[in-house]
Every structure is written in C-alpha cells, then in structure tokens.
Coordinates of all heavy atoms in Angstrom, one line a residue:
E15 N -1.6 -32.2 0.9 CA -0.7 -32.5 2.0 C -0.6 -31.3 2.9 O -0.4 -30.2 2.4 CB 0.6 -33.0 1.5 CG 1.5 -33.4 2.6 CD 2.8 -34.0 2.0 OE1 2.8 -34.5 0.9 OE2 3.8 -33.9 2.8
D16 N -0.6 -31.5 4.2 CA -0.5 -30.4 5.1 C 1.0 -30.0 5.2 O 1.9 -30.8 5.4 CB -1.0 -30.8 6.4 CG -1.2 -29.6 7.4 OD1 -0.8 -28.5 7.0 OD2 -1.7 -29.8 8.5
I17 N 1.3 -28.7 5.1 CA 2.6 -28.2 5.1 C 3.2 -28.1 6.6 O 4.4 -28.0 6.8 CB 2.7 -26.8 4.4 CG1 4.2 -26.4 4.2 CG2 2.0 -25.7 5.2 CD1 4.4 -25.2 3.3
L18 N 2.3 -28.0 7.6 CA 2.8 -27.8 8.9 C 3.8 -28.9 9.4 O 4.8 -28.6 10.0 CB 1.6 -27.7 9.9 CG 0.8 -26.4 9.7 CD1 -0.4 -26.4 10.6 CD2 1.6 -25.2 9.8
P19 N 3.5 -30.2 9.2 CA 4.5 -31.2 9.7 C 5.8 -31.0 9.0 O 6.9 -31.2 9.6 CB 3.8 -32.5 9.3 CG 2.4 -32.3 9.3 CD 2.3 -30.9 8.8
L20 N 5.8 -30.8 7.7 CA 7.0 -30.6 7.0 C 7.8 -29.3 7.5 O 9.0 -29.4 7.7 CB 6.7 -30.4 5.5 CG 7.9 -30.2 4.6 CD1 8.9 -31.3 4.6 CD2 7.5 -29.9 3.1
T21 N 7.1 -28.3 7.7 CA 7.7 -27.1 8.2 C 8.3 -27.3 9.6 O 9.4 -26.8 9.9 CB 6.7 -25.9 8.3 OG1 6.1 -25.8 7.0 CG2 7.3 -24.6 8.7
R22 N 7.6 -28.0 10.5 CA 8.1 -28.3 11.8 C 9.4 -29.1 11.7 O 10.2 -29.0 12.6 CB 7.0 -29.1 12.6 CG 5.9 -28.3 13.2 CD 5.0 -29.2 14.0 NE 3.7 -28.7 14.1 CZ 2.6 -29.2 13.5 NH1 2.7 -30.3 12.8 NH2 1.5 -28.6 13.6
S23 N 9.5 -30.0 10.7 CA 10.6 -30.9 10.7 C 11.9 -30.2 10.4 O 13.0 -30.7 10.7 CB 10.4 -32.0 9.6 OG 10.4 -31.5 8.3
F24 N 11.9 -29.1 9.7 CA 13.2 -28.4 9.4 C 13.2 -26.9 9.6 O 14.2 -26.2 9.4 CB 13.7 -28.8 8.1 CG 13.0 -28.2 6.9 CD1 13.5 -27.1 6.3 CD2 11.9 -28.8 6.4 CE1 12.9 -26.5 5.2 CE2 11.2 -28.2 5.3 CZ 11.7 -27.1 4.7
L25 N 12.1 -26.3 10.0 CA 12.0 -24.9 10.2 C 12.7 -24.0 9.2 O 13.8 -23.4 9.5 CB 12.5 -24.6 11.7 CG 11.8 -25.3 12.8 CD1 12.4 -25.1 14.1 CD2 10.3 -24.9 12.8
P26 N 12.2 -23.9 8.0 CA 12.8 -23.1 7.0 C 12.8 -21.6 7.3 O 12.0 -21.1 8.1 CB 12.0 -23.3 5.7 CG 10.6 -23.6 6.3 CD 10.9 -24.4 7.6
D27 N 13.8 -20.8 6.8 CA 13.8 -19.4 6.9 C 12.8 -18.7 6.1 O 12.3 -17.6 6.4 CB 15.2 -18.8 6.6 CG 16.3 -19.3 7.6 OD1 15.9 -19.4 8.8 OD2 17.4 -19.6 7.2
V28 N 12.6 -19.3 4.9 CA 11.7 -18.7 3.9 C 10.9 -19.8 3.2 O 11.4 -20.9 2.9 CB 12.5 -17.9 2.8 CG1 11.6 -17.4 1.7 CG2 13.3 -16.8 3.4
C29 N 9.6 -19.5 3.0 CA 8.7 -20.4 2.2 C 8.2 -19.6 1.0 O 7.7 -18.5 1.1 CB 7.5 -20.9 3.0 SG 7.9 -22.0 4.4
L30 N 8.3 -20.2 -0.2 CA 7.7 -19.7 -1.4 C 6.4 -20.5 -1.6 O 6.5 -21.7 -1.7 CB 8.6 -19.9 -2.6 CG 10.0 -19.3 -2.5 CD1 10.8 -19.6 -3.8 CD2 10.0 -17.8 -2.3
L31 N 5.3 -19.8 -1.6 CA 4.0 -20.5 -1.7 C 3.2 -20.0 -2.9 O 3.1 -18.7 -3.1 CB 3.2 -20.3 -0.5 CG 3.7 -20.8 0.8 CD1 2.9 -20.3 2.0 CD2 3.8 -22.3 0.8
D32 N 2.7 -20.9 -3.7 CA 1.8 -20.5 -4.8 C 0.4 -20.3 -4.1 O 0.1 -20.9 -3.2 CB 1.7 -21.6 -5.8 CG 1.1 -21.2 -7.1 OD1 0.3 -20.2 -7.1 OD2 1.4 -21.8 -8.1
I33 N -0.3 -19.3 -4.6 CA -1.7 -19.1 -4.1 C -2.6 -20.2 -4.6 O -3.5 -20.6 -3.8 CB -2.2 -17.7 -4.5 CG1 -1.3 -16.6 -4.0 CG2 -3.6 -17.5 -4.1 CD1 -1.2 -16.5 -2.5
G34 N -2.5 -20.6 -5.8 CA -3.5 -21.5 -6.4 C -3.0 -23.0 -6.3 O -3.0 -23.7 -7.3
M35 N -2.7 -23.4 -5.1 CA -2.3 -24.8 -4.9 C -3.6 -25.7 -4.8 O -4.6 -25.2 -4.3 CB -1.5 -24.9 -3.6 CG -0.2 -24.2 -3.7 SD 0.8 -24.5 -2.2 CE -0.1 -23.7 -0.9
P36 N -3.5 -27.0 -5.2 CA -4.6 -27.9 -5.1 C -4.9 -28.2 -3.6 O -3.9 -28.2 -2.8 CB -4.2 -29.1 -5.8 CG -2.7 -29.0 -6.0 CD -2.3 -27.6 -5.9
R37 N -6.1 -28.4 -3.3 CA -6.6 -28.8 -1.9 C -6.5 -27.8 -0.8 O -7.2 -27.8 0.1 CB -5.9 -30.1 -1.5 CG -6.3 -31.3 -2.3 CD -5.7 -32.6 -1.8 NE -4.3 -32.5 -1.6 CZ -3.4 -33.1 -2.4 NH1 -3.8 -34.0 -3.3 NH2 -2.1 -33.0 -2.2
C38 N -5.5 -26.9 -0.9 CA -5.3 -25.8 0.1 C -4.7 -24.6 -0.6 O -3.6 -24.7 -1.1 CB -4.5 -26.3 1.2 SG -4.3 -25.1 2.6
N39 N -5.4 -23.5 -0.6 CA -4.8 -22.4 -1.3 C -3.7 -21.7 -0.5 O -3.6 -22.0 0.7 CB -5.9 -21.4 -1.8 CG -6.5 -20.6 -0.7 OD1 -5.8 -20.1 0.2 ND2 -7.8 -20.5 -0.7
G40 N -2.9 -20.9 -1.1 CA -1.8 -20.3 -0.4 C -2.2 -19.4 0.7 O -1.4 -19.2 1.7
Y41 N -3.3 -18.7 0.5 CA -3.8 -17.8 1.6 C -4.0 -18.6 2.9 O -3.6 -18.2 4.0 CB -5.0 -17.1 1.2 CG -4.9 -16.2 0.0 CD1 -5.8 -16.4 -1.1 CD2 -3.9 -15.2 -0.2 CE1 -5.8 -15.6 -2.2 CE2 -3.9 -14.4 -1.3 CZ -4.8 -14.6 -2.3 OH -4.7 -13.8 -3.4
E42 N -4.7 -19.7 2.8 CA -5.0 -20.5 3.9 C -3.7 -21.1 4.5 O -3.6 -21.2 5.7 CB -6.0 -21.7 3.6 CG -7.4 -21.1 3.3 CD -8.0 -20.3 4.4 OE1 -7.9 -20.7 5.6 OE2 -8.5 -19.2 4.1
T43 N -2.8 -21.5 3.6 CA -1.5 -22.1 4.1 C -0.8 -21.0 4.9 O -0.2 -21.3 5.9 CB -0.7 -22.6 2.9 OG1 -1.5 -23.6 2.3 CG2 0.6 -23.2 3.4
A44 N -0.7 -19.8 4.4 CA 0.0 -18.7 5.0 C -0.6 -18.5 6.4 O 0.1 -18.3 7.4 CB -0.1 -17.4 4.2
K45 N -2.0 -18.5 6.5 CA -2.6 -18.3 7.8 C -2.3 -19.4 8.8 O -2.0 -19.1 10.0 CB -4.1 -18.2 7.6 CG -4.6 -16.9 6.9 CD -6.1 -17.0 6.6 CE -6.5 -15.8 5.8 NZ -7.9 -15.8 5.4
K46 N -2.2 -20.6 8.3 CA -1.8 -21.7 9.2 C -0.4 -21.6 9.7 O -0.1 -21.8 10.8 CB -2.0 -23.1 8.4 CG -3.4 -23.5 8.2 CD -3.4 -24.8 7.5 CE -4.8 -25.3 7.2 NZ -4.8 -26.6 6.4
L47 N 0.5 -21.2 8.8 CA 1.9 -21.0 9.1 C 2.0 -19.9 10.2 O 2.8 -20.0 11.1 CB 2.8 -20.8 7.9 CG 3.0 -22.0 7.0 CD1 3.6 -21.5 5.7 CD2 3.9 -23.0 7.7
R48 N 1.4 -18.8 10.0 CA 1.4 -17.7 10.9 C 0.9 -18.1 12.3 O 1.4 -17.7 13.3 CB 0.7 -16.4 10.3 CG 1.4 -15.8 9.2 CD 2.7 -15.2 9.7 NE 3.5 -14.7 8.6 CZ 4.7 -15.1 8.3 NH1 5.3 -16.0 9.0 NH2 5.4 -14.5 7.3
A49 N -0.2 -18.8 12.3 CA -0.8 -19.2 13.5 C 0.1 -20.1 14.3 O 0.2 -20.1 15.5 CB -2.2 -19.9 13.3
E50 N 0.8 -21.0 13.6 CA 1.7 -21.9 14.3 C 3.1 -21.4 14.6 O 3.6 -21.6 15.7 CB 1.9 -23.2 13.3 CG 3.0 -24.1 13.8 CD 2.4 -25.3 14.5 OE1 1.2 -25.5 14.5 OE2 3.2 -26.1 15.1
F51 N 3.6 -20.5 13.7 CA 5.0 -20.1 13.9 C 5.2 -18.6 14.1 O 6.4 -18.2 14.3 CB 5.9 -20.6 12.7 CG 5.8 -22.0 12.4 CD1 5.0 -22.6 11.4 CD2 6.6 -22.9 13.2 CE1 5.0 -24.0 11.2 CE2 6.6 -24.3 13.0 CZ 5.8 -24.8 12.0
G52 N 4.2 -17.8 14.0 CA 4.4 -16.4 14.1 C 5.1 -15.8 12.9 O 4.7 -16.2 11.8
A53 N 6.0 -14.9 13.1 CA 6.6 -14.2 12.0 C 7.7 -15.0 11.2 O 8.1 -14.5 10.2 CB 7.3 -12.9 12.6
A54 N 8.1 -16.2 11.7 CA 9.0 -17.0 11.0 C 8.3 -18.3 10.6 O 7.6 -18.8 11.4 CB 10.2 -17.3 11.9
P55 N 8.5 -18.8 9.5 CA 9.4 -18.3 8.4 C 8.8 -17.1 7.7 O 7.6 -16.8 7.8 CB 9.6 -19.5 7.5 CG 8.3 -20.2 7.6 CD 7.9 -20.0 9.1
K56 N 9.7 -16.4 6.9 CA 9.2 -15.4 6.0 C 8.4 -16.1 4.9 O 8.8 -17.2 4.4 CB 10.4 -14.6 5.4 CG 11.2 -13.8 6.5 CD 10.3 -12.8 7.2 CE 11.1 -12.0 8.2 NZ 10.3 -11.1 8.9
L57 N 7.4 -15.5 4.4 CA 6.5 -16.0 3.4 C 6.5 -15.2 2.1 O 6.2 -14.0 2.2 CB 5.1 -16.2 3.9 CG 4.9 -17.1 5.2 CD1 3.5 -17.1 5.6 CD2 5.5 -18.5 5.0
I58 N 6.7 -15.8 1.0 CA 6.7 -15.1 -0.3 C 5.6 -15.7 -1.1 O 5.6 -17.0 -1.4 CB 8.0 -15.1 -1.0 CG1 9.1 -14.5 -0.2 CG2 7.9 -14.4 -2.4 CD1 10.5 -14.6 -0.9
A59 N 4.6 -15.0 -1.5 CA 3.6 -15.4 -2.4 C 4.1 -15.4 -3.8 O 4.6 -14.3 -4.3 CB 2.3 -14.6 -2.4
V60 N 4.1 -16.5 -4.5 CA 4.6 -16.6 -5.9 C 3.4 -17.0 -6.7 O 2.9 -18.1 -6.6 CB 5.7 -17.6 -6.1 CG1 6.2 -17.7 -7.5 CG2 6.9 -17.2 -5.2
T61 N 2.8 -16.1 -7.5 CA 1.5 -16.3 -8.0 C 1.2 -15.5 -9.3 O 1.7 -14.5 -9.5 CB 0.4 -16.0 -6.9 OG1 -0.9 -16.2 -7.5 CG2 0.5 -14.5 -6.5
A62 N 0.2 -16.1 -10.1 CA -0.3 -15.3 -11.2 C -1.4 -14.3 -10.8 O -1.8 -13.5 -11.6 CB -0.8 -16.3 -12.2
Y63 N -1.8 -14.4 -9.6 CA -2.8 -13.5 -9.0 C -2.0 -12.2 -8.7 O -1.4 -12.1 -7.6 CB -3.5 -14.0 -7.8 CG -4.3 -15.3 -8.0 CD1 -4.0 -16.5 -7.3 CD2 -5.3 -15.3 -9.0 CE1 -4.7 -17.6 -7.5 CE2 -6.0 -16.5 -9.2 CZ -5.7 -17.7 -8.5 OH -6.4 -18.8 -8.7
A64 N -2.1 -11.2 -9.6 CA -1.2 -10.1 -9.4 C -1.8 -8.7 -9.4 O -1.1 -7.7 -9.7 CB -0.1 -10.2 -10.5
T65 N -3.1 -8.6 -9.1 CA -3.7 -7.3 -9.0 C -3.3 -6.7 -7.7 O -2.8 -7.4 -6.8 CB -5.2 -7.4 -9.1 OG1 -5.7 -8.1 -8.0 CG2 -5.7 -8.1 -10.4
E66 N -3.6 -5.4 -7.5 CA -3.4 -4.8 -6.2 C -4.2 -5.4 -5.1 O -3.7 -5.6 -4.0 CB -3.7 -3.3 -6.3 CG -3.3 -2.5 -5.1 CD -1.9 -2.7 -4.6 OE1 -1.0 -2.8 -5.4 OE2 -1.7 -2.7 -3.3
R67 N -5.4 -5.8 -5.4 CA -6.3 -6.5 -4.5 C -5.7 -7.8 -4.0 O -5.7 -8.2 -2.9 CB -7.7 -6.7 -5.0 CG -8.6 -7.4 -4.0 CD -8.9 -6.5 -2.9 NE -9.4 -7.2 -1.8 CZ -9.0 -7.1 -0.5 NH1 -8.2 -6.2 -0.1 NH2 -9.5 -7.9 0.4
D68 N -5.1 -8.5 -5.0 CA -4.4 -9.8 -4.7 C -3.2 -9.6 -3.8 O -3.0 -10.3 -2.8 CB -3.9 -10.5 -6.0 CG -5.0 -10.9 -6.9 OD1 -6.1 -11.4 -6.4 OD2 -4.9 -10.8 -8.1
R69 N -2.5 -8.5 -4.0 CA -1.4 -8.2 -3.1 C -1.8 -7.8 -1.7 O -1.2 -8.3 -0.7 CB -0.6 -7.0 -3.7 CG 0.2 -7.3 -5.0 CD 0.9 -6.1 -5.5 NE 1.4 -6.4 -6.8 CZ 2.5 -7.1 -7.1 NH1 3.2 -7.6 -6.1 NH2 2.9 -7.3 -8.3
V70 N -2.9 -7.1 -1.6 CA -3.5 -6.8 -0.3 C -4.0 -8.1 0.4 O -3.7 -8.3 1.6 CB -4.6 -5.8 -0.4 CG1 -5.4 -5.6 0.9 CG2 -4.1 -4.4 -0.9
T71 N -4.7 -8.9 -0.3 CA -5.1 -10.2 0.3 C -4.0 -11.0 0.7 O -4.0 -11.6 1.8 CB -6.0 -10.9 -0.8 OG1 -7.1 -10.1 -1.2 CG2 -6.5 -12.2 -0.2
A72 N -2.9 -11.1 0.0 CA -1.7 -11.8 0.4 C -1.1 -11.3 1.7 O -0.8 -12.0 2.6 CB -0.7 -11.8 -0.7
R73 N -1.0 -10.0 1.8 CA -0.5 -9.3 3.0 C -1.4 -9.6 4.2 O -0.9 -9.9 5.3 CB -0.4 -7.8 2.7 CG 0.4 -7.1 3.8 CD 0.8 -5.6 3.4 NE -0.3 -4.9 2.7 CZ -0.2 -4.6 1.4 NH1 0.8 -4.9 0.6 NH2 -1.2 -3.9 0.8
E74 N -2.7 -9.5 4.0 CA -3.6 -9.8 5.0 C -3.6 -11.3 5.5 O -3.8 -11.6 6.7 CB -5.1 -9.5 4.6 CG -5.3 -8.0 4.5 CD -6.6 -7.7 3.8 OE1 -7.3 -8.6 3.2 OE2 -7.0 -6.5 3.8
A75 N -3.2 -12.2 4.6 CA -3.1 -13.6 4.9 C -1.8 -13.9 5.7 O -1.6 -15.0 6.2 CB -3.2 -14.4 3.7
G76 N -0.8 -13.0 5.6 CA 0.4 -13.2 6.4 C 1.7 -13.2 5.5 O 2.7 -13.5 6.1
F77 N 1.5 -13.0 4.2 CA 2.7 -13.0 3.4 C 3.5 -11.8 3.6 O 3.0 -10.7 3.8 CB 2.3 -13.1 1.9 CG 1.9 -14.5 1.5 CD1 0.5 -14.8 1.4 CD2 2.8 -15.4 1.1 CE1 0.1 -16.0 1.0 CE2 2.4 -16.7 0.7 CZ 1.1 -17.0 0.6
D78 N 4.8 -11.9 3.6 CA 5.8 -10.8 3.7 C 6.0 -10.1 2.4 O 6.1 -8.9 2.3 CB 7.1 -11.3 4.2 CG 7.0 -11.9 5.6 OD1 6.8 -11.1 6.6 OD2 7.1 -13.1 5.7
L79 N 6.0 -10.9 1.3 CA 6.2 -10.3 -0.1 C 5.3 -11.1 -1.1 O 4.9 -12.2 -0.8 CB 7.7 -10.5 -0.5 CG 8.7 -9.7 0.3 CD1 10.1 -10.1 -0.2 CD2 8.5 -8.2 0.1
H80 N 5.1 -10.4 -2.2 CA 4.3 -11.0 -3.3 C 5.1 -10.8 -4.6 O 5.5 -9.7 -4.9 CB 3.0 -10.1 -3.3 CG 2.0 -10.6 -4.4 ND1 2.2 -10.3 -5.7 CD2 0.9 -11.3 -4.3 CE1 1.2 -10.8 -6.4 NE2 0.4 -11.4 -5.5
I81 N 5.3 -11.9 -5.3 CA 6.0 -11.9 -6.6 C 5.0 -12.5 -7.6 O 4.5 -13.6 -7.5 CB 7.3 -12.7 -6.6 CG1 8.3 -12.1 -5.5 CG2 7.9 -12.8 -7.9 CD1 9.5 -13.0 -5.4
A82 N 4.8 -11.7 -8.7 CA 3.9 -12.2 -9.7 C 4.7 -13.1 -10.7 O 5.8 -12.8 -11.0 CB 3.4 -11.0 -10.5
K83 N 4.0 -14.2 -11.1 CA 4.5 -15.1 -12.1 C 4.1 -14.6 -13.5 O 3.0 -14.0 -13.6 CB 4.0 -16.5 -11.9 CG 4.4 -17.2 -10.7 CD 4.1 -18.6 -10.6 CE 2.6 -19.0 -10.7 NZ 2.3 -20.4 -10.5
P84 N 4.9 -14.8 -14.5 CA 6.2 -15.4 -14.4 C 7.2 -14.3 -13.9 O 7.0 -13.1 -14.1 CB 6.6 -15.7 -15.8 CG 5.8 -14.8 -16.7 CD 4.5 -14.5 -15.9
F85 N 8.3 -14.8 -13.3 CA 9.3 -13.8 -12.8 C 10.7 -14.3 -13.2 O 10.8 -15.5 -13.5 CB 9.2 -13.7 -11.3 CG 9.5 -14.9 -10.5 CD1 10.8 -15.2 -10.1 CD2 8.5 -15.8 -10.2 CE1 11.0 -16.4 -9.4 CE2 8.7 -17.0 -9.5 CZ 10.0 -17.2 -9.1
E86 N 11.6 -13.4 -13.1 CA 13.0 -13.8 -13.4 C 13.8 -14.0 -12.2 O 13.5 -13.4 -11.1 CB 13.7 -12.7 -14.3 CG 13.0 -12.4 -15.6 CD 13.2 -13.5 -16.6 OE1 14.2 -14.2 -16.6 OE2 12.2 -13.7 -17.4
S87 N 14.8 -14.8 -12.2 CA 15.7 -15.1 -11.0 C 16.1 -13.8 -10.3 O 16.1 -13.8 -9.0 CB 16.9 -15.9 -11.4 OG 16.6 -17.0 -12.1
P88 N 16.6 -12.8 -11.0 CA 17.0 -11.6 -10.2 C 15.9 -11.0 -9.3 O 16.2 -10.4 -8.3 CB 17.4 -10.6 -11.3 CG 17.8 -11.5 -12.5 CD 16.9 -12.6 -12.4
E89 N 14.7 -11.1 -9.8 CA 13.5 -10.6 -9.0 C 13.4 -11.4 -7.6 O 13.2 -10.8 -6.6 CB 12.2 -10.7 -9.7 CG 11.1 -10.0 -9.0 CD 9.8 -10.0 -9.9 OE1 9.8 -10.5 -11.0 OE2 8.8 -9.5 -9.3
L90 N 13.6 -12.7 -7.7 CA 13.5 -13.5 -6.5 C 14.7 -13.2 -5.6 O 14.6 -13.1 -4.4 CB 13.5 -15.0 -6.9 CG 13.5 -16.0 -5.7 CD1 12.3 -15.7 -4.8 CD2 13.5 -17.4 -6.2
V91 N 15.9 -13.1 -6.2 CA 17.1 -12.8 -5.4 C 16.9 -11.4 -4.7 O 17.3 -11.3 -3.5 CB 18.4 -12.8 -6.3 CG1 19.6 -12.2 -5.6 CG2 18.6 -14.2 -6.8
A92 N 16.4 -10.4 -5.4 CA 16.1 -9.1 -4.8 C 15.1 -9.2 -3.6 O 15.3 -8.6 -2.6 CB 15.6 -8.1 -5.8
A93 N 14.1 -10.0 -3.8 CA 13.1 -10.2 -2.8 C 13.7 -10.9 -1.5 O 13.5 -10.4 -0.4 CB 11.9 -11.1 -3.3
L94 N 14.6 -11.9 -1.8 CA 15.2 -12.5 -0.6 C 16.2 -11.5 0.1 O 16.3 -11.5 1.3 CB 16.0 -13.7 -1.1 CG 15.1 -14.9 -1.6 CD1 16.0 -15.9 -2.3 CD2 14.3 -15.5 -0.5
G95 N 16.8 -10.7 -0.7 CA 17.7 -9.6 -0.1 C 16.9 -8.7 0.7 O 17.3 -8.3 1.8
R96 N 15.7 -8.3 0.3 CA 14.8 -7.4 1.1 C 14.4 -8.1 2.4 O 14.4 -7.4 3.5 CB 13.6 -7.0 0.3 CG 13.9 -6.0 -0.8 CD 12.6 -5.3 -1.4 NE 11.6 -6.2 -1.9 CZ 11.6 -6.8 -3.1 NH1 12.6 -6.5 -3.9 NH2 10.6 -7.6 -3.5
L97 N 14.1 -9.3 2.3 CA 13.7 -10.1 3.6 C 14.9 -10.2 4.5 O 14.8 -10.0 5.7 CB 13.2 -11.5 3.2 CG 11.9 -11.5 2.6 CD1 11.5 -13.0 2.2 CD2 10.8 -10.9 3.5
A98 N 16.1 -10.4 4.0 CA 17.3 -10.5 4.8 C 17.6 -9.2 5.5 O 18.1 -9.2 6.6 CB 18.5 -11.0 3.9
A99 N 17.4 -8.1 4.8 CA 17.7 -6.8 5.3 C 16.7 -6.4 6.5 O 17.1 -5.6 7.3 CB 17.5 -5.7 4.2
T100 N 15.6 -7.1 6.5 CA 14.6 -6.8 7.6 C 14.7 -7.8 8.8 O 14.0 -7.7 9.8 CB 13.2 -6.8 7.1 OG1 12.8 -8.1 6.6 CG2 13.0 -5.8 6.0
A101 N 15.6 -8.8 8.6 CA 15.7 -9.8 9.6 C 16.5 -9.4 10.8 O 17.3 -8.5 10.8 CB 16.3 -11.1 9.1

C-alpha cells in the first residue's frame, strides 16, 4: 500500500518507518515522502539494519534519525525530543 495518500490525509508530524517493509522498502518510502512533502514530516528509521553504512543510507534516503531494533521506549522518547528541539 502506498503511504502517500495516507500521509496526505492527515499530515503527521513524525513517521516511524521500518526499512524492511514488504513491497516497498523504507528507503524508497522515505524518498517518496521527501519528494512530496519536503522536510515534513520528520522521518525515523526503525530497523534491524544497524551498521554505520545502514545509518548513512538512511540519512541519504531522507531519514532524520535512525533507531536500531530492538529498542526501549526511552530511546524513542529521546529521539522524539531531539526532533522537537530542532523544529
């Protein structure tokens, strides 16, 4: 399913995207979101792909942050705080 119509319908502030999604990977989804909406919404990659190269690839695709799975709630809260501080 394409995320663009859903995103258009309510314009979220933040999207958490897995990189390894079926039919459309998170990198391609991030690129589509950036092409359509620019810098908003903020994008967080939530993924088991956690090497430094994966982080660079996520940044190049348009992600604002990268969180490796599994993660704890405080890590997500801290990431959201960092995004809010830059808004």
Side-chain angles (χ1 to χ4, degrees):
E15 184 175 334
D16 191 357
I17 193 172
L18 293 178
L20 179 62
T21 306
R22 282 185 206 110
S23 72
F24 73 98
L25 300 173
D27 294 320
V28 177
C29 291
L30 305 178
L31 299 172
D32 195 338
I33 299 299
M35 296 184 293
R37 295 186 303 251
C38 182
N39 71 45
Y41 300 127
E42 291 304 315
T43 300
K45 289 175 186 176
K46 287 180 182 179
L47 288 168
R48 288 294 175 239
E50 172 97 10
F51 301 103
K56 298 297 185 185
L57 303 178
I58 301 176
V60 179
T61 180
Y63 300 121
T65 67
E66 184 55 33
R67 181 69 199 134
D68 295 322
R69 291 177 189 282
V70 169
T71 303
R73 192 169 37 253
E74 290 170 348
F77 283 98
D78 297 288
L79 294 175
H80 182 283
I81 298 176
K83 294 190 299 189
F85 64 91
E86 299 291 328
S87 309
E89 187 176 358
L90 178 58
V91 170
L94 293 170
R96 287 193 304 276
L97 288 177
T100 64

